[in-house]
Amino acid sequence: MNSRTPDKAGVKLGMWLFLYTEIMLFGGLFILYAVYYSKYTGVFIEAGKSLDITIGALNTVILLVSSFTVASAITAVQKKAQRSAITLVGISMVFGVLFLVNKYFEWGHKFEAGIYPGSPDLSDAEAGKSLFFGLYYLITGLHGIHIIIGLILLSISLYFITTKRIHATRFAVLENSGLYWHLVDLIWVFIFPLFYLIL
Amino acid sequence: MTDVQSYLETPSSPNLKGIRAWLLTTDHKRIGILYMISILFWFCIAVTLGLLLRTELMAEGKTLMGSETYNAVFTLHGVIMVFLFIIPGIPAIFGNFLLPIQIGSDDVFFPRLNLLSWYLYIFGGILAVVSLFSGGPPDTGWTFYVPFSIQTESGVTFTVLAAFILGMSSMLTGINFITTIHRLRIKTMGWMQMPLFTWSLYATAWVQLLATPILSITLLLIVAERIFGIGLFDPGRGGDPILYQHLFWMYSHPAVYIMILPAMGVVSEIMPVFSRKAIFGYKAIVSSTLAIAIAGSLVWAHHMFTSGMSDTAVFVFSLLTFVVAIPSAIKVFSWVSTMYKGSILMTPPLFFALCFIYLFSVGGLTGLVLGAAGTNIHVHDTHFVVGHFHFVMFGGAGFAFFAALHFWWPKMFGRMYNFRNAYRAAILITIGFILHYIPMLILGLQGMPRRYYNYLPRFEAGNFFAGIGGFIMVTGIMLMLVNLVQGLRKGAPAVGNPWGGTTLEWSVPSPPPLHNFVDQPSVKSYPYDFTDIIQQQAGSKQV
Amino acid sequence: MESSSHEHIISYAKLFGVLCSLLSFTAITIGVSRMDLGALNIWVAILIAACKASFILLFFMHLHYETRLLKITFVGTIGCLAILIGFVFWDISFR
Amino acid sequence: MNEVINPVHGVDQAFLYILGFSVVLLLGITITMIVFVFTYSRSRNPEPSDIRGNWKLEVLWTVIPSVIALSMFYYGWSSYTGLRNVPAGALEIEVTGQMYSWIFLYPNDKETENELVVPLGKPIKLNITSSDVLHSLFIPAYRIKVDAVPGMKTYAWFLPDKPGLYSMQCAEFCGVGHADMTATLRAVTVSEYEEWLKLEEE
């Protein structure tokens, strides 16, 4: 009773419970989106056109591929292919950084065009437009912060793989970082159509 | 059993000494005690603030403080009471201490996360203090309604962040409890053998888990609005201030159940022990706990009947509110019936529990007035509401907290307290309570709005009596706390099972040893089976 | 509680297959967004996103191989969010 | 005009109905509790009976409160509809809440601050909005309260039936002057009202 064997299923349950809180956190913003979309459908569609579909699609592909590489890294660890696991996690992190770089340029363009939270252009625009961009910045911003946290978690996993603290029978850290990374991807899967594709 | 060292003597990491053995502990019992100290500290502060408010109101016009100070004081009273006392109160202290023992485990599933939760709690408390000195104390009320909370120049940003951090702390505790109950429950204990307190914590944890993030994001929105001025709730740019209220109450109504469900769990433990009889309708209580947790999350908009919300929403949410009333009624009936043909021993915890049932019933029944759409319009945002939710939160959750203190104090510290003083305190608190809050109900019906530092002359008598009641109540609370602390030094040593309880925490020594159990705990097929206890007593009488 | 600690290994091929279907869903959703379906547009977009999300959940996140507890609670969480969003419209649509 | 029903009666009846049931239930619970504590105290009844439940009783006390609760809901709702359905031909007055006073605008563009004068016997509809933060117009005597929301129109109506002065207050916390944001409602006869309306603002 005193010495407990590590309970993987329990750790995983804890991680999933944490993911539920993340889902509800973004859910709060999606509630706002749903309400304002229903109120200002036309304005939202118009404003959505000004977002760059190419960058959005590119970022979607980047995140999907990086999700794939993280999932494969777990398979690699399970198959004791340590070297390929390192490569796969590495690739995922590179993609994660690429995503942020993309986002940086995308935000930069919008800022130059005078569209940023509280900007005079938005304040004078028709009702609803500043809501769209407000939500856009909040959701993608919060999502960006999650990418950064995900990158930190992945780098910890990477370090643990190289120091062999993660191996075929013990990989909870990698698995949970992976879960987090997939969740970030999952949220992007909804952000992409809701902001870039409503035409 | 005699040479077992308690958790008070052996730190959970054997190399730690002195204060570090407490501040760096991962032992759920020590963390429970840490919570107890910090929560009681904030409780005393908030009680003092509350008393200041009522003293100001005892006479018409400005007596103690002006409007600005008054607004800051009632905001702080609310924020501290809600986020630093009632929400963490029972789960963080008694949940932490007892949940693992009640399910036959040696600790919670994530002990270090548990300690982190405590540090977040402390950090949140410090932020709340910081908010006082950054642009002046917050003056929005604990609801932070927009657009006022965005426009005011006081230090709302920090207060909001404090609430955010405290929310995280409570969320992590929730994650910990759910995982613990699922993974560390002793193999022989099925779901229907779980004590009712554990059941209530389980339901609470789910509400904490799913509702708190909504509050987190809402509070972050306020911060974002204050810093960047996005205008999400600004009608000038198409925003909808009422939507903020939806988001806020989506958390804050379920939060009421985060506060009251553990309290109901405590009472469900106390009633059978002192009636020496099985709880009436174990399964009904379990299912009503779950029903309250689920249905209670769907009634948030009954705080918004006058907000300008659609009439359809008023209809739906009013109806759902009455649906939630039913499981609460079932619980009250079950507790009372537990005493039927029991063998009742009057003790301070039972006395508090009985006061709980009475005061909570008043709170619940006045809630019906608020749930009904037509009557709600008149009493909404008046002192009737203030009276009502204090009956539920203080008369309910608060009294259950006191009952839990007296019930588990001997278990936690291995010492008894003075019964006579405990009764005196309990009577003072109850009488003071009734004198304090009944006038508020009446004032509300007469039409005195809440959050008023000054009022029309015709409300003076009621406010005066309420103030007197407040002083009596606070005297009682002080007496109670002093009595408990004195018990630590002067109290007679407590045996392992002083009350004759059947759940697992009573099968271990008082205070419990470091790893909770000396022998493998044996689980009863029915958690409130008193046959052994009755036989033991009969045996001891013959000897 | 029974634990499902039999570690399930998903093959690279399968994961790659999932990635391919995710990418093709992305292509489809972009394609569909160019068509004018009126009010249906948003629902189609959400439906496709939900399909993508379930692929990620079931295979990348291994939910397909997890215990019933995780599956039920996950669906419960999504259901809870859906109810919150839905119930707000008792107000918004009738105001 | 006689067929206009004053919603105050409906609300008061709902109050009586709910509070009445509540008092009965509360007394029942309390008395049972006290009786049990004494009847079954350990000295009188040392041997407890092992009763773990009684499904018939449990069903009974689930069904009966459900019926009571639903009837309370019905009373509450029907009195609410009374407050919401404005009778035809109501006199409309525009109300604006601001920090920290109430502005009333009459059909002939007469404007008053913190004083609302209404003719007796005629339903009054108040169209309410706010120019800054949330406020809430509360007239206890007529059981009405509705938030003043910036960017939105809300409404309430009442039927002044007795001459006199009534108090109006702000019920939604709005800042430093919240408690001082009171106004007076003066119900006067129709002729007095007409006369008052023609007066230039002093």
Side-chain angles (χ1 to χ4, degrees), chain A residues 1-4 7-15 17-18 20-22 24-29 31-32 35-36 39-40 117-119 122-135 137-138 142, chain B residues 104-111 164 171-172 174-175 178-179 182-184 206 209-211 213-214 216-217 220-221 224 228-233 236-241 243 247 250 515 517-521:
Chain A
M1 200 167 44
N2 294 345
S3 60
R4 240 191 273 147
D7 175 4
K8 285 179 200 161
V11 176
K12 210 187 279 173
L13 173 63
M15 187 64 199
L17 294 176
F18 176 69
Y20 298 163
T21 68
E22 292 282 359
M24 296 306 282
L25 186 79
F26 278 96
L29 289 172
I31 294 173
L32 282 181
V35 170
Y36 288 145
K39 256 189 166 171
Y40 303 105
S119 74
L122 277 185
S123 306
D124 300 337
E126 56 189 320
K129 193 173 178 193
S130 82
L131 298 179
F132 179 84
F133 283 105
L135 281 172
Y137 279 110
L138 272 171
L142 195 63
Chain B
S105 158
D106 60 344
D107 207 329
V108 291
F109 194 88
F110 301 106
F164 175 79
M171 217 159 67
L172 292 180
I175 292 180
I178 296 177
T179 319
H182 274 287
R183 301 302 307 174
L184 292 184
W206 274 108
L209 195 72
L210 295 179
I214 305 270
S216 308
I217 195 69
L220 283 183
L221 283 173
F228 303 116
I230 301 171
L232 279 177
F233 302 117
R237 283 178 267 177
D240 181 358
L243 196 54
L247 284 176
M250 259 177 217
H515 294 296
F517 293 98
V518 187
D519 317 303
Q520 183 73 12

Side-chain angles (χ1 to χ4, degrees), chain B residues 314 318 322 368-369 371-377, chain D residues 10-11 13-15 17-18 69-83:
Chain B
V314 173
S318 171
F322 278 95
L368 297 173
V369 175
T375 48
N376 172 288
I377 301 299
Chain D
V11 174
Q13 266 168 9
F15 264 114
Y17 182 80
I18 297 172
L70 288 179
S71 72
M72 284 177 178
F73 162 74
Y74 171 75
Y75 268 94
W77 174 251
S78 59
S79 60
Y80 179 77
T81 52
L83 290 169

Side-chain angles (χ1 to χ4, degrees), chain B residues 95-376:
Chain B
N96 258 323
F97 198 99
L98 294 156
L99 173 99
I101 314 186
Q102 282 200 330
I103 58 172
S105 158
D106 60 344
D107 207 329
V108 291
F109 194 88
F110 301 106
R112 276 178 292 180
L113 190 68
N114 202 11
L115 185 64
L116 176 68
S117 307
W118 182 72
Y119 274 104
L120 284 176
Y121 173 85
I122 294 294
F123 181 53
I126 293 172
L127 263 185
V129 175
V130 168
S131 76
L132 296 180
F133 304 104
S134 60
D139 59 349
T140 58
W142 79 280
T143 48
F144 307 114
Y145 270 12
V146 297
F148 184 68
S149 61
I150 294 169
Q151 291 173 8
T152 180
E153 278 158 13
S154 61
V156 173
T157 308
F158 279 100
T159 322
V160 161
L161 284 175
F164 175 79
I165 300 282
L166 292 168
M168 263 170 70
S169 160
S170 123
M171 217 159 67
L172 292 180
T173 308
I175 292 180
N176 221 337
F177 282 0
I178 296 177
T179 319
T180 309
I181 292 172
H182 274 287
R183 301 302 307 174
L184 292 184
R185 197 153 32 88
I186 188 166
K187 295 276 178 296
T188 44
M189 183 184 277
W191 284 97
M192 284 300 143
Q193 274 103 49
M194 240 160 60
L196 288 166
F197 182 55
T198 304
W199 259 115
S200 72
L201 288 173
Y202 183 70
T204 310
W206 274 108
V207 182
Q208 277 173 312
L209 195 72
L210 295 179
T212 317
I214 305 270
L215 176 78
S216 308
I217 195 69
T218 314
L219 296 177
L220 283 183
L221 283 173
I222 293 187
V223 175
E225 289 290 324
R226 284 178 70 87
I227 297 176
F228 303 116
I230 301 171
L232 279 177
F233 302 117
D234 174 3
R237 283 178 267 177
D240 181 358
I242 297 177
L243 196 54
Y244 168 85
Q245 299 175 26
H246 275 296
L247 284 176
F248 180 81
W249 289 113
M250 259 177 217
Y251 165 76
S252 297
H253 191 74
V256 170
Y257 297 98
I258 296 177
M259 306 172 198
I260 199 69
L261 278 174
M264 292 169 155
V266 168
V267 174
S268 307
E269 292 291 324
I270 292 176
M271 295 312 287
V273 168
F274 296 105
S275 307
R276 195 150 281 184
K277 182 169 154 292
I279 184 99
F280 194 93
Y282 173 86
K283 281 185 182 158
I285 292 190
V286 170
S287 35
S288 62
T289 303
L290 297 175
I292 291 176
I294 295 167
S297 305
L298 306 178
V299 299
W300 72 83
H302 68 209
H303 297 261
M304 301 163 54
F305 286 171
T306 68
S307 69
M309 187 172 70
S310 81
D311 289 343
T312 318
V314 173
F315 181 88
V316 173
F317 285 103
S318 171
L319 181 61
L320 285 171
T321 305
F322 278 95
V323 173
V324 185
I326 294 155
S328 308
I330 293 175
K331 278 182 187 259
V332 170
F333 296 145
S334 300
W335 292 325
V336 174
S337 313
T338 302
M339 294 194 287
Y340 175 68
K341 290 199 173 171
S343 175
I344 300 167
L345 179 67
M346 185 48 84
T347 54
L350 181 67
F351 188 79
F352 273 113
L354 294 177
C355 293
F356 164 95
I357 296 180
Y358 172 75
L359 299 173
F360 175 74
S361 302
V362 178
L365 293 166
T366 49
L368 297 173
V369 175
L370 288 162
T375 48
N376 172 288

Side-chain angles (χ1 to χ4, degrees), chain B residues 374-375 377-378 445, chain D residues 4-17 75-76 78-85 87 138-145 157-162 166 185:
Chain B
T375 48
I377 301 299
H378 179 59
L445 286 173
Chain D
V4 177
I5 301 159
N6 194 341
V8 170
H9 303 309
V11 174
D12 285 356
Q13 266 168 9
F15 264 114
L16 279 182
Y17 182 80
Y75 268 94
S78 59
S79 60
Y80 179 77
T81 52
L83 290 169
R84 299 299 289 171
N85 294 332
F138 178 28
I139 310 181
Y142 291 103
R143 315 285 185 265
I144 57 171
K145 179 184 293 129
W157 81 275
F158 65 102
L159 183 70
D161 51 0
K162 271 193 221 109
Y166 304 95
L185 166 68

